[in-house]
Amino acid sequence: MARNSSIQSGAPHQRSQMSNDTKLKIYLAQINPTVGDLDGNTQKILQQIKLANESGCDLVVFSEMTICGYPCEDLWQKKYFAIACQEKIFEIAKATKDYKCAILVGSPLIDLERKKEVMRNSVLLIEQGEVKKVINKKTLPNFGVFDEARYFAASQTLSTVEFRGLTLAILICEDMWDQFNSFLLREQVYDALIVLNASPYSAKKHQYRQKAAKNFAKNLVYVNQVGGHDSLVFDGSSFAMDAQGKIALQMKEFVEDSAIVEVEKSGKILPSAAIQDLGAETKRNYQACVLGLRDYVSKNGFKKVLLGMSGGIDSALVATIAVDALGKENVALYALPSRYSSDESMNDAKECAQNLGVNLEVISIEPMFEAAKFSFNQAGIDLIGLTQENLQSRIRGNILMALSNNSGALLLSTGNKSELATGYATIYGDMCGAFNPIKDLYKTQVYELSHLRSEVIPHNILTKEPTAELRPNQKDSDSLPDYAVLDKILFELIEEQKSIAEVAKNFDKTLVEKVAKLLHFSEYKRRQSCLGPKISDMDFSRDRRYPITNKFNK
Amino acid sequence: MARNSSIQSGAPHQRSQMSNDTKLKIYLAQINPTVGDLDGNTQKILQQIKLANESGCDLVVFSEMTICGYPCEDLWQKKYFAIACQEKIFEIAKATKDYKCAILVGSPLIDLERKKEVMRNSVLLIEQGEVKKVINKKTLPNFGVFDEARYFAASQTLSTVEFRGLTLAILICEDMWDQFNSFLLREQVYDALIVLNASPYSAKKHQYRQKAAKNFAKNLVYVNQVGGHDSLVFDGSSFAMDAQGKIALQMKEFVEDSAIVEVEKSGKILPSAAIQDLGAETKRNYQACVLGLRDYVSKNGFKKVLLGMSGGIDSALVATIAVDALGKENVALYALPSRYSSDESMNDAKECAQNLGVNLEVISIEPMFEAAKFSFNQAGIDLIGLTQENLQSRIRGNILMALSNNSGALLLSTGNKSELATGYATIYGDMCGAFNPIKDLYKTQVYELSHLRSEVIPHNILTKEPTAELRPNQKDSDSLPDYAVLDKILFELIEEQKSIAEVAKNFDKTLVEKVAKLLHFSEYKRRQSCLGPKISDMDFSRDRRYPITNKFNK
């Protein structure tokens, strides 16, 4: 605890080194850390500090929890994990002691509160080899995908820092979203606001962020983490805004990036040349799927993926995302036809693979399906229709997992959100897989994103009627309402958390009840599903947390 | 909101009806609610109130969140869910307006805080058809299996209630575990403490509870929920304690129960005749597995289960638990031999099934395994050894799931905690299943529990060396250290959350590193595993929450 207490109490307050320039230069470092990779993250941090210092900057600002990545979940409960992070802070301080450029970097920190050890979500101001100030997060998000109340003790105050003639208020992510904090800060005199973030992507998130920022009516620098982590994708999209709410800088989305803003001694942030256009929503969703997949694969030490191509739109889109994320040389595609597979499906699958520049291997499921029926027959067991359908899907799962085990490539699952919501997916069958890039896309969104890549996804796949081809002439519409209607009902039940009675004001009541029942009854499947990138405001991986045993369905 | 505000503000304070007796009679109602079953739970509550009233009691005390069951997870975020619960409170009040007996019952409640709607974890005192008092939970647990900070706003105060000449302090579960609350209550004058709980089972929980209760040094009535809910088992074990810490009443564990205690006007709780012996730890763990399984099956609307019998100890124990939980007529057992299955295993499986009074059906996996190898051969793919092993396990999974689909019986998974911790289990293979009764039992505990039922589990199963029989002469000890050692290392890494360096003080460092690596790398499998009852202080279903993408393994 010696080191810790020295971090917390800080060195005796010294007057900060004054810059000779009339303006301050702030470097925004939008990096992609990996959770738990303290060594790798520290190397990235040091590289950025070096660049910032060489550019004559006064301050380099990183994202929240820079040292360890975000979110670390129960790693944050382990004291030796926090100590390992703190050691990295000393390493950074030591390596930069001769730099003019100061550093704002995020880390978990052990602190004392009422003589009891607590964990903080902290930001450290490091200057000339010393930790000059520790800022602790005040507003801990504990809703949606966030569980910070499980790990951290909240700071009771917001604090400002005197830095080279400027008074800076430092906020950590959710601090900026808490209206009460903007009210508190209005009582304080400060020149500019610096916000360190790990703000996960969802389709409309960036506009929410800028709205929350405007609330403070202050010159503001916002640095966000970028990269995929399990079911979360961080889009970066860091920015700076002047006190009038005008964007002074807009950084890139979905890639690492850096930029410099100049700040006058009044706190005024000067307009930067670097104002990136952010993509339209569908394009952005597509990029989130690509980045989520790429980082899941690479950060877990894999290179290659494989998947089964049915000839339908879901697997065509997943294959396209995979090729864009990992390169065609790292994607293997398999067609696993049965007696019910149509020539049309096989041709569509082949054409799509060809357009992607990937060979399509064919392995028939018929021998295993026949052997299974033989074995059950020997045991005197007649298989009902649904069992036979699931069996085909599970034989495909088996074959794909064998290919995965044999080659070291991760299997991708290809079920969309509408399927997972209604249970129109076979557990241990088409739900097999390490990652599902389209898990949080409704079927109608699958079409939207597929149209973006219509140069590789064949026209016939974009226009034909969906079918699972598990029995003769099967169509999705035999069991499910039209996706355009289904998705709207699901959106109201899931994203808007409406009751059946409320949704039934807008749709046929019997239909709403049927959909709600499917959603309710398939909870057990979702609980065993693989991860996929969060796109919506209510994903199935971390946002929506339901009991399986639950008799309330109203 | 009219109803809500009438609950919260309460009727104008009236002097409580005084009892004519010199003693108060308190009825403890230890019921088994089902999450979300508001109608069913209310019926149970009304039955108990009627019995309490007929026994001349003054007050009937239920467990925490009686109306809706515990935990409801994100159902608690829905306002219409809370409103539905509140309607049940009015129903109860109305049905009991002519009773002498008053009621303490738990429910979520919508309240206003700083003009904003918040959700509370509340207890209502209902008397003569009116809500006389609302008590809100002050200490919201947000660690381990608990997430109450996600749902509820905490009360700022503890409150006492004047009731028929007694001053009662009412606590809700975690309120009793917060030392600060015992300190606060010492400042107040009150006669007895009533605690309403939903306190989940773990092996040593009951002794912790009694210790926490003693801390208050007060006459105390403790009513706990009983029953299985997803991965949690509530053991009941409600009790009463006098101010000297002496147990005045001990109710049954793992079953619904009711009892009456007499309380003098001084608050002194008189000793009751009903002091149940609680079982030894191993027996209690066994009962928790049985109840967890029984309630998962029945509360989800099923009756029957099936599982594969390998001849090993894990499936033998699961079959025994299943028969004890559901009756032998509701358990189907299957042997799924391959070329590697020994006669010994088949005989052991048969003998165990026979002892349980269940027929053992045999379905060979060879035809499907041969067909798979044929198909891969046709595609020019050689399957490596590990792939072949996993393929066998997954063919078994397929067959068992087909039997489940065909019969409507739930498939039980049979992997123990040591296997799940090390990844010594095949995802989509032996990990298939709706529920795993031994998920939170280390292999050494599987032996302990099996010895309890040695009249049905054959001696040879209890004594032979473990093997997965996926290749010739395979033994678990080929890949894993001896379970006696492995389990101790795992316990220190998982339950005690020690670092590798700390555990390596007690065991060979290379071995500890190997085990830690297995634990770290198999996170992705556990994320897709089915539920099983929590037995330990750190189960894999809700307690231990780790990222999959994580490079920290120290």
Side-chain angles (χ1 to χ4, degrees):
Chain A
M1 286 308 298
R3 287 197 154 171
N4 163 49
S5 55
S6 104
I7 288 190
Q8 281 295 339
S9 55
H13 192 269
Q14 299 168 336
R15 189 68 200 151
S16 300
Q17 179 193 331
M18 291 295 296
S19 175
N20 293 326
D21 304 331
T22 53
K23 291 176 219 144
L24 250 61
K25 285 171 79 176
I26 299 183
Y27 183 105
L28 291 75
Q30 175 176 303
I31 65 169
N32 183 349
T34 297
V35 162
D37 186 13
L38 309 190
D39 292 338
N41 298 340
T42 301
Q43 284 317 304
K44 283 199 173 189
I45 292 166
L46 286 171
Q47 279 166 18
Q48 292 294 307
I49 302 173
K50 190 165 178 286
L51 289 171
N53 193 57
E54 286 168 3
S55 312
C57 288
D58 294 279
L59 181 65
V60 51
V61 181
F62 290 92
S63 53
E64 184 181 14
M65 288 286 177
T66 338
I67 306 269
C68 57
Y70 188 99
C72 295
E73 301 185 58
D74 283 4
L75 283 171
W76 279 326
Q77 288 181 332
K78 294 187 169 183
K79 191 175 161 182
Y80 63 87
F81 178 69
I83 290 171
C85 293
Q86 291 173 205
E87 281 166 6
K88 293 294 167 190
I89 293 167
F90 288 103
E91 191 179 320
I92 291 168
K94 200 176 162 190
T96 60
K97 68 178 163 35
D98 299 326
Y99 286 11
K100 176 198 162 206
C101 186
I103 304 143
L104 277 175
V105 68
S107 174
L109 222 58
I110 302 163
D111 192 12
L112 290 177
E113 191 175 270
R114 291 185 190 166
K115 300 186 183 170
K116 223 184 105 193
E117 278 188 2
V118 295
M119 196 71 78
R120 301 281 190 197
N121 179 337
S122 303
V123 163
L124 300 105
L125 173 66
I126 301 172
E127 195 174 9
Q128 294 176 300
E130 280 184 42
V131 174
K132 288 286 170 68
K133 175 92 179 176
V134 173
I135 300 100
N136 297 320
K137 191 169 184 173
K138 179 170 173 288
T139 306
L140 301 174
N142 204 63
F143 55 84
V145 302
F146 302 108
D147 297 282
E148 291 197 25
R150 182 175 171 92
Y151 305 111
F152 305 115
S155 167
Q156 298 302 310
T157 53
L158 295 171
S159 45
T160 55
V161 180
E162 296 301 318
F163 181 75
R164 300 185 191 182
L166 277 177
T167 306
L168 301 175
I170 317 283
L171 299 183
I172 307 175
C173 208
E174 192 70 16
D175 286 338
M176 189 187 81
W177 299 73
D178 186 341
Q179 295 233 355
F180 190 59
N181 292 340
S182 82
F183 182 77
L184 285 179
L185 277 177
R186 267 174 235 162
E187 305 288 304
Q188 299 192 33
V189 177
Y190 67 104
D191 303 310
L193 204 51
I194 312 262
V195 195
L196 292 86
N197 305 275
S199 174
Y201 177 76
S202 66
K204 304 201 189 314
K205 191 68 162 288
H206 194 61
Q207 63 201 65
Y208 300 154
R209 278 177 206 142
Q210 298 201 336
K211 200 176 156 212
K214 273 184 193 162
N215 212 18
F216 285 83
K218 217 29 154 173
N219 289 286
L220 180 148
V221 169
Y222 183 103
V223 181
N224 192 20
Q225 170 175 309
V226 71
H229 172 72
D230 282 0
S231 65
L232 299 182
V233 179
F234 297 86
D235 54 319
S237 315
S238 304
F239 63 95
M241 184 182 272
D242 71 16
Q244 283 69 48
K246 189 158 177 286
I247 293 299
L249 167 76
Q250 177 58 63
M251 290 167 68
K252 291 179 188 156
E253 47 184 2
F254 304 110
V255 289
E256 291 192 318
D257 195 11
S258 63
I260 295 170
V261 285
E262 291 189 318
V263 186
E264 291 183 346
K265 285 289 154 93
S266 64
K268 184 174 167 56
I269 293 175
L270 300 180
S272 153
I275 300 198
Q276 302 290 334
D277 274 343
L278 300 184
E281 185 173 315
T282 302
K283 187 183 161 208
R284 224 186 277 168
N285 287 346
Y286 187 83
Q287 287 175 292
C289 294
V290 168
L291 179 57
L293 173 61
R294 181 190 296 133
D295 278 7
Y296 187 85
V297 172
S298 66
K299 290 181 178 179
N300 280 295
F302 290 85
K303 254 187 89 172
K304 291 175 183 292
V305 297
L306 65 89
L307 65 139
M309 291 285 273
S310 68
I313 194 158
D314 296 314
S315 52
L317 179 60
V318 171
T320 306
I321 290 170
V323 167
D324 287 348
L326 305 161
K328 64 181 181 181
E329 66 282 8
N330 291 316
V331 180
L333 301 176
Y334 296 90
L336 306 171
S338 76
R339 68 193 67 178
Y340 305 120
S341 304
S342 64
D343 289 345
E344 182 188 358
S345 294
M346 285 297 289
N347 291 335
D348 288 341
K350 263 183 221 159
E351 190 184 333
C352 185
Q354 204 162 26
N355 293 350
L356 291 168
V358 181
N359 187 32
L360 183 73
E361 297 265 3
V362 181
I363 303 175
S364 165
I365 68 164
E366 281 296 321
M368 280 182 82
F369 189 43
E370 279 302 323
K373 290 203 289 184
F374 169 81
S375 297
F376 282 109
N377 197 276
Q378 289 285 99
I381 296 166
D382 280 332
L383 299 183
I384 60 173
L386 180 71
T387 304
Q388 293 198 34
E389 293 182 28
N390 284 333
L391 188 56
Q392 293 168 67
S393 179
R394 293 196 182 107
I395 288 171
R396 291 196 173 102
N398 270 12
I399 292 174
L400 292 167
M401 283 304 296
L403 292 164
S404 171
N405 287 161
N406 227 42
S407 66
L410 289 180
L411 173 60
L412 301 185
S413 184
T414 62
N416 60 63
K417 189 172 188 172
S418 311
E419 274 181 21
L420 284 165
T422 53
Y424 199 69
T426 302
I427 188 168
Y428 320 127
D430 51 307
M431 286 179 65
C432 285
F435 200 78
N436 176 354
I438 63 168
K439 184 179 178 188
D440 200 27
L441 296 176
Y442 287 109
K443 186 80 172 189
T444 41
Q445 291 178 298
V446 167
Y447 280 98
E448 284 169 21
L449 267 65
S450 296
H451 274 96
L452 279 187
R453 298 291 277 117
S454 58
E455 72 280 20
V456 285
I457 299 178
H459 181 73
N460 195 44
I461 291 182
L462 294 170
T463 51
K464 70 185 176 183
E465 198 181 346
T467 162
E469 291 192 334
L470 293 169
R471 59 173 185 264
N473 305 317
Q474 186 181 24
K475 297 274 175 282
D476 290 12
S477 52
D478 301 344
S479 320
L480 294 175
D482 191 59
Y483 282 113
V485 176
L486 175 67
D487 287 358
K488 282 180 194 153
I489 295 175
L490 288 171
F491 188 87
E492 295 197 8
L493 289 170
I494 298 167
E495 263 84 345
E496 299 187 340
Q497 296 211 58
K498 287 186 184 170
S499 67
I500 294 174
E502 286 171 288
V503 182
K505 288 177 191 165
N506 306 328
F507 302 92
D508 174 66
K509 187 162 183 254
T510 314
L511 183 59
V512 174
E513 281 171 342
K514 182 189 165 185
V515 173
K517 196 171 167 186
L518 291 171
L519 175 66
H520 182 241
F521 186 69
S522 53
E523 192 56 45
Y524 78 99
K525 291 189 189 177
R526 290 188 289 277
R527 201 66 84 83
Q528 291 190 44
S529 65
C530 68
L531 295 177
K534 170 181 162 76
I535 301 295
S536 73
D537 286 333
M538 184 66 79
D539 86 321
F540 287 140
S541 295
R542 285 181 65 87
D543 272 314
R544 190 175 188 275
R545 305 183 187 179
Y546 262 63
I548 294 177
T549 306
N550 163 24
K551 293 213 172 167
F552 189 84
N553 186 32
K554 278 181 183 166
Chain B
M1 286 304 299
R3 283 196 157 172
N4 164 47
S5 54
S6 104
I7 287 189
Q8 281 295 339
S9 55
H13 192 271
Q14 301 167 333
R15 190 68 199 150
S16 301
Q17 177 191 335
M18 294 295 294
S19 174
N20 293 325
D21 304 330
T22 54
K23 293 175 220 148
L24 250 58
K25 286 171 79 177
I26 300 183
Y27 183 105
L28 291 77
Q30 174 176 301
I31 66 168
N32 183 348
T34 297
V35 162
D37 187 11
L38 310 190
D39 292 339
N41 298 341
T42 301
Q43 284 317 305
K44 281 198 176 192
I45 291 166
L46 287 171
Q47 278 164 18
Q48 292 293 307
I49 302 172
K50 187 163 181 284
L51 289 172
N53 193 57
E54 286 168 1
S55 311
C57 288
D58 293 279
L59 181 66
V60 52
V61 181
F62 290 92
S63 52
E64 184 181 12
M65 288 286 178
T66 337
I67 305 269
C68 57
Y70 187 101
C72 296
E73 302 184 58
D74 282 5
L75 283 171
W76 279 324
Q77 288 181 333
K78 295 187 167 182
K79 190 174 161 184
Y80 63 86
F81 178 69
I83 291 172
C85 292
Q86 291 172 205
E87 280 167 6
K88 292 295 167 186
I89 293 167
F90 289 104
E91 189 178 323
I92 291 168
K94 198 174 164 192
T96 60
K97 68 177 164 37
D98 299 326
Y99 286 11
K100 176 198 160 202
C101 187
I103 304 145
L104 278 174
V105 67
S107 174
L109 222 57
I110 302 163
D111 193 11
L112 290 177
E113 190 176 88
R114 291 184 190 167
K115 299 186 184 169
K116 221 183 107 193
E117 279 190 1
V118 295
M119 197 70 79
R120 302 280 190 196
N121 180 337
S122 304
V123 164
L124 300 105
L125 174 65
I126 301 172
E127 197 174 6
Q128 293 176 302
E130 281 184 39
V131 174
K132 289 286 171 68
K133 176 94 180 174
V134 173
I135 301 100
N136 296 320
K137 192 169 183 174
K138 180 172 172 287
T139 306
L140 300 174
N142 204 62
F143 55 84
V145 302
F146 302 107
D147 297 282
E148 291 196 24
R150 182 175 170 92
Y151 305 110
F152 305 113
S155 167
Q156 299 302 310
T157 52
L158 295 171
S159 47
T160 55
V161 180
E162 296 300 317
F163 182 76
R164 299 186 190 181
L166 276 178
T167 306
L168 301 176
I170 317 283
L171 299 183
I172 306 174
C173 208
E174 193 70 16
D175 286 338
M176 190 188 81
W177 300 73
D178 186 341
Q179 295 235 354
F180 190 61
N181 292 340
S182 81
F183 183 78
L184 286 178
L185 276 178
R186 267 174 235 157
E187 305 287 303
Q188 299 192 32
V189 178
Y190 68 104
D191 303 309
L193 205 51
I194 313 264
V195 195
L196 291 84
N197 305 273
S199 174
Y201 177 76
S202 67
K204 302 198 190 320
K205 192 66 163 291
H206 194 62
Q207 64 202 64
Y208 301 153
R209 277 176 208 145
Q210 298 202 337
K211 202 176 155 211
K214 273 183 192 163
N215 213 17
F216 285 82
K218 219 24 155 181
N219 289 286
L220 180 148
V221 169
Y222 183 103
V223 181
N224 192 20
Q225 171 176 310
V226 71
H229 172 72
D230 283 359
S231 66
L232 299 181
V233 179
F234 298 85
D235 52 319
S237 314
S238 305
F239 63 94
M241 185 182 271
D242 71 17
Q244 283 69 49
K246 190 157 175 284
I247 294 298
L249 166 75
Q250 177 58 62
M251 289 166 69
K252 291 178 189 159
E253 46 184 2
F254 304 109
V255 289
E256 292 193 315
D257 195 11
S258 63
I260 296 170
V261 284
E262 291 190 318
V263 186
E264 291 183 345
K265 286 289 154 92
S266 64
K268 184 175 168 53
I269 293 176
L270 300 179
S272 152
I275 300 198
Q276 301 291 333
D277 273 343
L278 300 183
E281 186 172 314
T282 303
K283 189 185 159 203
R284 227 187 275 169
N285 287 346
Y286 187 85
Q287 288 175 292
C289 294
V290 168
L291 179 57
L293 172 62
R294 182 190 298 135
D295 278 6
Y296 186 84
V297 173
S298 66
K299 289 180 177 179
N300 280 294
F302 291 84
K303 254 189 90 173
K304 291 174 184 290
V305 297
L306 66 88
L307 65 141
M309 290 286 273
S310 68
I313 194 158
D314 296 315
S315 52
L317 179 60
V318 171
T320 307
I321 290 169
V323 167
D324 287 349
L326 305 162
K328 63 181 181 180
E329 67 283 7
N330 292 314
V331 180
L333 301 175
Y334 295 89
L336 306 171
S338 76
R339 66 193 68 178
Y340 305 121
S341 303
S342 63
D343 289 346
E344 184 188 357
S345 294
M346 285 297 288
N347 290 335
D348 286 343
K350 262 181 222 163
E351 192 184 331
C352 185
Q354 205 161 28
N355 293 349
L356 291 167
V358 180
N359 187 35
L360 183 73
E361 297 267 3
V362 181
I363 302 175
S364 165
I365 68 164
E366 281 297 320
M368 281 184 82
F369 189 42
E370 280 302 323
K373 289 203 290 186
F374 167 82
S375 297
F376 283 108
N377 196 275
Q378 289 285 97
I381 297 166
D382 280 332
L383 299 183
I384 61 173
L386 180 70
T387 303
Q388 294 198 32
E389 293 182 29
N390 283 334
L391 187 56
Q392 293 169 67
S393 178
R394 292 196 182 108
I395 288 170
R396 291 196 174 101
N398 271 11
I399 293 174
L400 292 167
M401 283 304 295
L403 292 164
S404 171
N405 287 161
N406 228 41
S407 66
L410 289 179
L411 173 60
L412 301 186
S413 185
T414 63
N416 59 64
K417 188 172 189 173
S418 312
E419 274 181 21
L420 285 166
T422 53
Y424 198 71
T426 302
I427 188 168
Y428 320 127
D430 51 309
M431 285 178 66
C432 286
F435 199 78
N436 175 354
I438 64 169
K439 183 179 179 188
D440 200 27
L441 295 174
Y442 286 109
K443 186 78 171 189
T444 42
Q445 291 177 300
V446 167
Y447 279 98
E448 283 169 20
L449 266 62
S450 297
H451 274 96
L452 278 187
R453 298 291 277 118
S454 59
E455 72 281 19
V456 285
I457 299 178
H459 182 73
N460 195 46
I461 291 181
L462 293 170
T463 52
K464 70 184 175 183
E465 201 182 343
T467 165
E469 292 191 333
L470 293 169
R471 59 174 186 264
N473 305 315
Q474 185 182 26
K475 297 275 175 284
D476 289 11
S477 53
D478 302 344
S479 320
L480 293 175
D482 190 62
Y483 282 113
V485 175
L486 175 68
D487 287 357
K488 282 181 192 152
I489 294 175
L490 288 172
F491 188 86
E492 294 196 9
L493 289 170
I494 299 166
E495 263 83 346
E496 299 186 340
Q497 297 212 60
K498 287 186 183 172
S499 68
I500 295 173
E502 285 172 289
V503 182
K505 289 177 190 164
N506 306 328
F507 300 93
D508 174 64
K509 186 161 182 255
T510 314
L511 183 60
V512 174
E513 282 171 343
K514 182 187 164 185
V515 173
K517 197 173 166 185
L518 291 170
L519 175 65
H520 182 240
F521 185 69
S522 52
E523 192 57 45
Y524 77 97
K525 290 190 190 178
R526 288 189 289 278
R527 202 65 84 84
Q528 291 190 43
S529 65
C530 69
L531 295 176
K534 170 181 164 72
I535 302 296
S536 73
D537 286 334
M538 185 65 80
D539 86 321
F540 287 140
S541 296
R542 285 182 65 88
D543 271 314
R544 191 176 187 276
R545 305 183 187 179
Y546 262 61
I548 294 177
T549 305
N550 163 24
K551 293 213 173 166
F552 189 84
N553 186 31
K554 279 181 183 165

